[in-house]
């Protein structure tokens, strides 16, 4: 069993804080300014998108989350008691869909996609608990969580753990992608900490690359970061279980990237997953080595252009499937091809519709024959008179 690299937050409070302190909480969310979230939320707040958090649960009673969190669903062997024993899932939830509280919701944690819904997918307890007390998750337990999120129809699935690979985990990822879901995974927490590369290393999974305040990569990875996207991953203020707040490190970046994906999905609800990823890729700011590289991945997320820029489809429909407007117009006005005229069937009683026409033609024929008969009689009478006159 592989040990999951779990973020260890600096707990600021385990009980609700005063409004004055909560104002300071919002001020410490530096990633909101970095990503220009206020401007992005003018386009969308993430309404209509469900983000599944595959973790230990979410504290849905947190004052900043009460309106965002759906009832939890549980994998086999998971605890059925509501809540979050270590605060990890609650931290991700706050970064995604925190709504703050107080007057005009100016206090507490604000999420990047505050209009999105959070679906907690609670993982089972490990078969062999780690003796250090650190929460561990096996690849197959994580796979079960992804499978359950897929069945429930989540279009964004976020995983804050890292594990070793397994065939079941790889299959769960493929099935989620086939269902048009986008999986976002943590890809590093703190420098020097062991961090397994999966599921971030699987094809199609978006790897959250943690960045410093200056935009530098904080943690390297063995995942390859073929679809890595840089987002803030240093001193990230967010929600904590028990109603408090915490400062998290790199793995919290997965929550931010999942929220970014949720916003783009909300802004373009008809686009499939690959086109959503394309918008993020085209608008990302290249950094490090030119092009995609194993440190920065695709580049730093640039949220506002991803939401607003006009971007051609990466995989447009085939011309035969969707005719162009000009082709459709020409097809509309083009005359039909010459060919034999085939009478349309009018059903078994359709011949009755022809009776008036037949009668009309019959009357015309009768009048024509009668007129011809009168003309012949007149000609015969005239001829007889002429014969008598000459005789």
């Amino acid at each position: 069993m592989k040990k999951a690299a779990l973020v260890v937050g600096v707990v600021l409070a385990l009980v609700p804080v005063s409004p004055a302190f909560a104002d300071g909480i919002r001020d410490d969310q530096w990633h909101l300014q970095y990503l220009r979230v206020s401007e992005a939320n003018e386009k969308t707040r993430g309404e209509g998108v469900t983000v599944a958090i595959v973790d230990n649960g979410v504290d849905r009673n947190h004052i900043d989350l009460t309106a965002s969190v759906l009832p939890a669903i549980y994998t086999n062997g998971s605890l059925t008691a509501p809540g979050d024993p270590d605060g990890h899932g609650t931290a991700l939830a706050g970064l995604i869909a925190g709504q703050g509280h107080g007057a005009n919701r100016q206090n507490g944690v604000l999420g990047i996609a505050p209009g999105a819904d959070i679906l907690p997918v609670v993982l089972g307890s490990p078969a062999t608990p780690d003796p250090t007390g650190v929460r561990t998750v096996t690849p197959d337990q994580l796979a079960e969580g992804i499978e359950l999120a897929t069945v429930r129809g989540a279009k964004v699935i976020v995983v804050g753990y890292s594990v070793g690979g397994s065939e079941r985990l790889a299959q769960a990822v493929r099935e989620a992608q086939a269902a048009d879901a986008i999986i976002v995974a943590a890809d590093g927490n703190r420098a020097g900490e062991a961090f397994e590369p999966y599921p971030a290393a699987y094809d199609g999974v978006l790897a959250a690359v943690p960045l410093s305040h200056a935009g530098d990569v904080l943690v390297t990875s063995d995942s390859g970061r073929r679809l890595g996207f840089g987002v803030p991953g240093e001193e990230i203020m967010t929600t904590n279980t028990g109603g408090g707040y915490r400062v998290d490190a790199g793995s919290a970046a997965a929550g931010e990237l999942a929220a970014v994906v949720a916003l783009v999905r909300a802004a373009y609800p008809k686009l499939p997953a690959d086109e959503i990823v394309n918008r993020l890729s085209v608008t990302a700011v290249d950094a490090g080595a030119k092009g995609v590289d194993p440190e920065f991945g695709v580049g730093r997320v640039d949220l506002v252009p991803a939401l607003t820029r006009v971007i051609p489809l990466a995989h447009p429909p085939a011309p035969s499937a969707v005719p162009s407007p000009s082709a459709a117009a020409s097809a509309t006005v083009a005359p039909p091809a010459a060919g034999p005229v085939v009478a349309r069937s009018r059903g078994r009683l359709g011949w009755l519709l022809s009776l008036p026409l037949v009668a009309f033609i019959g009357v015309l024929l009768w009048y024509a024959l009668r007129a011809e008969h009168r003309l012949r009689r007149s000609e015969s009478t005239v001829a007889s008179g002429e014969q008598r006159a000459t005789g």
Side-chain angles (χ1 to χ4, degrees):
M1 180 172 60
K2 300 290 186 179
K3 180 182 295 187
L6 178 66
V7 62
V8 180
V10 178
V11 179
L12 299 182
L14 294 179
V15 295
V17 295
S18 66
F21 187 61
D23 285 340
I25 296 296
R26 183 69 57 83
D27 293 339
D28 287 340
Q29 288 192 274
W30 68 272
H31 62 277
L32 298 179
Q33 287 73 40
Y34 183 97
L35 294 171
R36 297 159 60 193
V37 170
S38 177
E39 186 177 351
N41 285 164
E42 293 177 4
K43 172 74 172 178
T44 178
R45 291 166 52 86
E47 290 86 352
V49 177
T50 297
V51 181
I53 297 179
V54 182
D55 211 284
N56 297 323
V58 173
D59 181 5
R60 62 182 307 187
N61 294 320
H62 195 291
I63 193 172
D64 295 342
L65 297 172
T66 53
S68 303
V69 183
L70 302 172
I73 54 178
Y74 300 86
T75 62
N76 292 329
S78 62
L79 301 174
T80 56
D84 178 7
D86 59 21
H88 192 243
T90 302
L92 294 176
L95 293 170
I96 297 167
Q99 295 188 352
H101 64 274
N104 298 319
R105 298 193 175 275
Q106 294 180 352
N107 303 327
V109 162
L110 179 66
I112 295 168
D117 292 322
I118 298 297
L119 176 64
V121 181
V122 184
L123 297 172
S125 300
T128 305
D130 188 88
T132 64
V134 175
R135 181 73 163 85
T136 56
V137 174
T138 67
D140 287 356
Q141 286 173 322
L142 194 57
E144 186 180 1
I146 294 174
E147 291 163 359
L148 191 53
T150 302
V151 169
R152 291 296 295 267
K155 293 305 180 185
V156 183
I157 302 173
V158 58
V159 179
Y161 286 103
S162 73
V163 294
S166 76
E167 179 51 39
R168 183 178 178 183
L169 180 57
Q171 181 62 26
V173 168
R174 289 192 293 267
E175 290 175 356
Q177 293 168 343
D180 198 44
I182 296 176
I183 298 178
V184 177
D187 195 29
N189 189 41
R190 289 188 175 91
E193 289 185 359
F195 209 88
E196 298 282 5
Y198 297 99
Y202 288 127
D203 289 341
V205 175
L206 274 59
V209 180
L211 302 178
S212 68
H213 288 261
D216 299 323
V217 172
L218 290 169
V219 186
T220 57
S221 171
D222 295 329
S223 70
R225 293 179 172 170
R226 294 181 298 277
L227 274 179
F229 292 91
V231 289
E234 181 180 39
E235 298 177 338
I236 303 301
M237 178 66 71
T238 185
T239 46
N240 193 27
T241 189
Y245 300 91
R246 59 194 273 166
V247 176
D248 274 356
S251 67
E256 294 173 305
L257 184 55
V260 167
V261 173
L263 287 184
V264 181
R265 298 219 81 157
Y268 301 92
K270 295 184 179 181
L271 287 185
D274 63 333
E275 296 293 348
I276 298 296
V277 175
N278 179 59
R279 292 193 70 87
L280 293 172
S281 300
V282 169
T283 56
V285 178
D286 192 18
K290 186 175 180 58
V292 179
D293 67 84
E295 183 181 12
F296 279 90
V298 179
R300 302 186 185 101
V301 163
D302 200 354
L303 176 55
V304 173
L307 292 171
T308 60
R309 185 179 298 175
V310 177
I311 298 173
L313 296 178
H315 304 98
S320 58
V322 181
S324 65
S326 59
S330 62
T332 301
V333 300
V341 178
V342 180
R344 294 185 299 169
S345 172
R346 299 180 181 273
R348 296 176 59 184
L349 300 179
W351 61 274
L352 292 174
L353 299 176
S354 303
L355 284 179
L357 178 61
V358 173
F360 177 72
I361 294 174
V363 171
L364 290 179
L365 288 175
W366 182 78
Y367 272 106
L369 291 173
R370 186 177 179 185
E372 183 180 1
H373 180 67
R374 287 181 176 179
L375 179 61
R376 287 179 179 178
R377 288 182 59 185
S378 175
E379 291 175 349
S380 176
T381 301
V382 172
S384 299
E386 291 177 348
Q387 289 177 357
R388 285 194 299 269
T390 55

